[in-house]
Structure formats: C-alpha cells, structure tokens
C-alpha cells in the first residue's frame, strides 16, 4: 500500500494508524512526482516481532487485521455516503434555483424537491448529528455512526491485544446503521 510521508516541519502530530502485527513484510521506497511513480529502491524484506508478552491474552494477528480491515471499510463507506448526501443536497439546491427561474408554475416539482431535501437533511443529521449543535459543542441527542466508528478505531488502533467486546459491538452497530441509512438515500 502507498503510504504518504509528511514533510518535516509541516506536521507535529504523533504517528497515526493501525499498528503492525507480527509477521513478514516488504518495503519499497517510491517517489511520486507529477503523477509519475519512480522506484528508488528494490523491495526489502523485514520481520516485525512482538516486543514483549503482555499481561493480557491477545487475539491472533489475523483476527486483529480482519477487524481493522472491517473498520477501514466501514469508514470508507461512511465517507462515500456522506459525500453522496452532500452532492445530492447540492444538486437539489441547483434544481430548486433552476426551477425558480423557469416559467413553470409552483407545484409538484417544488413539493418533490422539498421532500427529497428533507429526507437528505434527515439522513445527514442521523449520520453526523445536528450541525448547529455540533458547531457550538452541544452534546449530541443520539450516538452517530461516526462516533461509533471512532470508539472502535481509536480504541483498537494502538493496541495489539485486539478489539474489546465494546469495540466489536460499536463496529457492529455502526455497520448495521450504515446499511440502513444507505438504503434510505434517495439515489441508492
């Protein structure tokens, strides 16, 4: 997989992402410039070993990677649905402007656009919480999919023990809700 490396001085954040599980890996140094990729080195193999035995029993590395892969897929699906809702709301607004400039009389098209806009706004609130409340730091009235994923990702990303029952439950609820909301999108 391609990993982007931040330039020094641009970002003082700690490293992020999932830890590596014990196993054999390969690495290649590649330069990307103007859309072109150039290998700067040959592939080199290396092994990641467990530094020490923890006090808790860990899940098998394959189970942990499978969980992290599931979380990454759910995050990607949530991002796709968020973008689809944003694009649909933007398209709805453009259609409303076009309709207001047309010579047609107000009627069924206006009602249909209003209905779709309300449906999209409801989906957006269900996924992300109330935007106004979020902006002023008010506690959300419901737990969002994004928050459930945050709990599962943040709680398990920097641990090689594996997900706790809370992480698994949070991911499963997020997955079920994501499927439900995907099916409610008007352009599904």
């Amino acid at each position: 997989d391609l990993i982007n490396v931040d330039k020094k001085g641009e970002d003082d954040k700690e490293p992020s992402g999932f830890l590596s599980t014990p196993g054999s890996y390969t690495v290649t140094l590649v330069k990307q410039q103007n859309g072109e990729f150039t290998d700067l080195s040959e592939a080199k193999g290396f092994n990641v070993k467990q530094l020490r035995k923890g006090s808790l029993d860990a899940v098998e590395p394959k189970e942990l990677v499978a969980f992290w892969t599931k979380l990454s897929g759910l995050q990607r699906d949530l991002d796709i649905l968020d973008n689809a809702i944003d694009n649909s709301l933007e398209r709805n607004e453009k259609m409303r402007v076009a309709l207001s400039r047309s010579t047609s009389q107000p009627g069924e098209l206006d009602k249909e656009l209003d209905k779709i806009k309300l449906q999209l706004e409801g989906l957006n609130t269900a996924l992300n919480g109330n935007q106004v409340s979020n902006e002023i730091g008010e506690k959300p009235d419901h737990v969002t999919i994004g928050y459930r994923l945050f709990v599962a990702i943040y709680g398990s990303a920097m641990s090689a023990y594996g997900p706790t029952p809370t992480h698994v439950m949070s991911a499963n609820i997020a997955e079920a809700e994501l499927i439900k909301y995907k099916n409610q999108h008007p352009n599904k």
Side-chain angles (χ1 to χ4, degrees):
D1 291 333
L2 176 65
I3 300 173
N4 291 317
V5 180
D6 291 330
K7 295 176 185 170
K8 285 189 175 187
E10 280 189 13
D11 195 354
D12 292 334
K13 293 181 184 177
E14 291 291 317
S16 63
F18 298 117
L19 297 175
S20 294
T21 58
S24 297
Y25 295 87
T26 57
V27 63
T28 306
L29 188 59
V30 178
K31 176 177 79 171
Q32 177 188 6
Q33 186 174 21
N34 300 326
E36 298 288 324
F37 293 90
T38 308
D39 286 343
L40 298 177
S41 71
E42 292 183 24
K44 300 277 185 182
F46 65 97
N47 292 314
V48 173
K49 297 178 183 176
Q50 186 174 4
L51 291 176
R52 63 184 177 278
K53 174 84 171 130
S55 56
L56 300 175
D57 290 333
V59 299
E60 289 295 317
K62 287 183 181 183
E63 286 181 57
L64 185 56
V65 170
F67 185 71
W68 288 341
T69 301
K70 176 182 179 175
L71 293 178
S72 294
L74 289 172
Q75 184 64 58
R76 183 190 66 242
D77 288 350
L78 178 59
D79 291 344
I80 289 169
L81 183 55
D82 269 337
N83 287 334
I85 291 170
D86 289 344
N87 291 339
S88 296
L89 282 167
E90 189 176 307
R91 187 178 314 119
N92 182 280
E93 183 56 33
K94 289 177 181 177
M95 292 171 75
R96 292 164 79 68
V97 169
L99 188 58
S100 72
R101 293 178 181 168
S102 74
T103 58
S104 69
Q105 296 296 315
E108 289 304 312
L109 282 175
D110 295 281
K111 288 179 188 175
E112 188 64 24
L113 285 174
D114 286 343
K115 179 181 164 189
I116 292 170
K117 181 179 180 186
L118 287 173
Q119 185 180 8
L120 289 166
E121 288 173 342
L123 274 173
N124 194 37
T125 299
L127 291 177
N128 302 304
N130 183 294
Q131 296 300 84
V132 174
S133 296
N134 291 345
E135 287 175 11
I136 61 172
E138 201 172 286
K139 187 175 180 181
D141 58 352
H142 72 282
V143 179
T144 65
I145 294 174
Y147 183 75
R148 291 188 190 284
L149 283 177
F150 170 79
V151 166
I153 291 169
Y154 188 76
S156 68
M158 300 306 281
S159 166
Y161 286 116
T164 66
T166 299
H167 301 142
V168 173
M169 181 180 72
S170 195
N172 289 341
I173 293 170
E175 182 177 33
E177 289 180 352
L178 191 55
I179 291 168
K180 177 178 96 174
Y181 292 130
K182 273 184 183 178
N183 291 330
Q184 291 179 14
H185 190 280
N187 295 341
K188 58 181 172 184

